[in-house]
Amino acid sequence: PRTGLTTDGLDLTTADPERRAALVAGFPFPFPNPTYRYSTNVEPAGSAVVTPAGQWGDCVVDVDVEYTAELAERAEILERDPSRHAVLPHMRVACWDAMLCLMRELAAANPATMELTLLETGSRPRYRWRNDVLGIDTAFTYGLESTLPAEPLAWIGQQVQEDVVLLDQREGELFGDAGVVTFAADWSFGFDVGMSFLEIHGPVPRLHAEGVITRAQAFLTRLQPGEVYRRTNWTLTIGRRLDVSTELYDQWGPDRESIQLLDDTAFGALVHLRTEVQHLIRLPESGAVMFLIRSYMLPLEEVARVEHWRTRAADVLEELPQDMADYKGIAKYRDRAVAWLRAAG
Ligand code: HEM
């Protein structure tokens, strides 16, 4: 049978050991508890979370070993499909706000290679932005698009691995009115743009009945300027595919069937635990909420090398209620994932 799954680049088998080790050390393992349910799981951001393999979470914007590769992939996706970037007209101020905020976070996390300098103050401040990793050194006037190489959100989106959504707040509600999202896990930014926070979460089971999403919105609408919170979300992805958006469903959807035909070695190399580290920031000037989604993937074969991760992931996947497994698109192979993890002990 044609599995379509043995193509290069979908696993780490040929990755150099240093890259592999770095991915394990920085992996944000998403299961603090032996069972998983949806909740408004937000906490203040910025402090490191120590894991049995390393740590994550000390920075809001994380530049790691995949930086240039992921940015190249983002550029390719945007070139092919411009609908992954959208800015509704009233969001222009928020985009500048987001750009500056992300530059400050990048510079704080990478002081040796990135720097934002205020050149002139006044109603139209001038800045210099240096990103040595990408060879960027540009001066720009805040708010003046002609002084940048691209629209501000698109430009900074080419310098962070995070997907970015900007939410406008009107009459106590949030709306996803701008963004650069190239690595969506089974949703479509182009379809969702302009929708309310509650509408965006419409397809998710349980959330509305359990009040999770109204509580989340109440929390987010009260977020104060400069406050930064974070949460994690997770799923399973077959192969190292960052772009598992609805738009490309025909390319990755069938993998959910064909993975079952593969032997255990290929299964453990291809099925990835995918964690999203999401940051929520109230932008100071526009009042918009910036939502950052950073996607990390680790194959089961690496998950299983850390004993606590192996048993915990098996416990969570085994117990996960059917409707949640269906929504996450993992129902067809989660039993095998559990058996695989148990057998790897
Ligand atoms: C999906 C909760 C913030 C966009 C989900 C899911 C949960 C959730 C539980 C289902 C995930 C899964 O099973 O894989 C929350 C909570 C938030 C929050 C508690 C804040 C505290 C946001 C924000 C956005 C967003 C700010 C901005 C656009 C989405 C999207 C999906 C999603 C697009 C996928 C929906 C689909 O299937 O089409 N969220 N979320 N979330 N969330 Fe959120």
Side-chain angles (χ1 to χ4, degrees), residues 36-42 165-167 174-176 185-189 191-192 197 199-205 207 212-213 215-217 219-220 231 233-235 246 276 278-280 289-291 293 324 327-328:
Y36 177 83
R37 291 294 182 278
Y38 293 143
S39 67
T40 311
N41 57 329
V42 284
V165 181
L166 302 181
L167 297 104
L174 294 163
F175 297 84
D186 209 353
W187 60 284
S188 162
F189 173 69
F191 181 76
D192 281 9
F197 185 75
E199 285 164 346
I200 288 171
H201 289 92
V204 187
L207 277 196
V212 170
I213 217 62
R215 275 200 302 281
Q217 175 156 267
F219 168 80
L220 290 175
R231 62 184 297 270
N233 183 41
W234 68 276
T235 189
T246 314
E276 294 178 356
Q278 307 175 342
H279 281 93
L280 296 146
V289 172
M290 178 159 67
F291 182 55
I293 312 158
M324 292 169 75
Y327 170 71
K328 286 181 183 287

Side-chain angles (χ1 to χ4, degrees), residues 31 36-38 185-186 203-206 233-238 249 252 256 313-338:
F31 303 134
Y36 177 83
R37 291 294 182 278
Y38 293 143
D186 209 353
V204 187
R206 293 172 182 243
N233 183 41
W234 68 276
T235 189
L236 299 180
T237 297
I238 297 168
Y249 184 82
W252 56 265
R256 294 167 171 179
D315 290 346
V316 168
L317 288 172
E318 186 162 43
E319 196 276 341
L320 192 73
Q322 189 62 31
D323 58 338
M324 292 169 75
D326 284 333
Y327 170 71
K328 286 181 183 287
I330 63 174
K332 291 195 178 104
Y333 61 98
R334 67 109 161 227
D335 288 348
R336 177 143 179 226
V338 172

Side-chain angles (χ1 to χ4, degrees), residues 90-99 142 153 166-167 178 283 286-288 290:
H90 61 280
M91 297 302 279
R92 296 171 80 93
V93 175
C95 290
W96 280 96
D97 220 356
M99 184 190 84
Y142 191 78
L153 190 62
L166 302 181
L167 297 104
L283 296 172
S286 60
M290 178 159 67

